[in-house]
Amino acid sequence: MIFHLVCLAWIFFRAESLHAAFAMLGGLRTLTWAPEYTVALRFLALFTIPLFAMDLINEMRGEEYVFETGVETRRVAVGVAMMALVSVFAANQANAFIYFRF
């Protein structure tokens, strides 16, 4: 419940005005399809399907974490590579919230 209240409160910090904040909240009531949702669903599938597959593989192996029983140098190398990917492809101020302007 707290999570949902915090997410709703963020709308007021994101909006440019109080009127825009209430317009965003009003937009939550409509259940019409928008073209931006297709991109969001593809993005969601791109990340959730591989993560779900990794979870199933870990369950079959009896492991809790990826590379839990692997060599330490490999685990460190994979961690550094993941941090580099996040740094390269992370959102910055120039493109954050580009599709959601009211």
Side-chain angles (χ1 to χ4, degrees), residues 10-67:
W10 281 346
I11 291 174
F12 291 96
F13 292 101
R14 172 68 182 105
E16 295 176 2
S17 67
L18 193 59
H19 184 269
F22 283 114
M24 288 181 196
L25 289 173
L28 294 174
R29 289 183 291 141
T30 61
L31 297 175
T32 58
W33 185 261
E36 294 88 19
Y37 298 161
T38 305
V39 175
L41 285 175
R42 287 181 184 167
F43 187 75
L44 182 65
L46 177 73
F47 285 100
T48 55
I49 291 171
L51 288 174
F52 184 68
M54 285 174 33
D55 186 51
L56 287 176
I57 291 169
N58 281 343
E59 287 289 329
M60 290 188 314
R61 290 181 183 168
E63 296 179 359
E64 184 70 25
Y65 305 108
V66 178
F67 301 120

Side-chain angles (χ1 to χ4, degrees), residues 76-91:
V76 170
V78 169
V80 169
M82 294 301 256
M83 287 189 292
L85 284 172
V86 167
S87 297
V88 169
F89 294 111

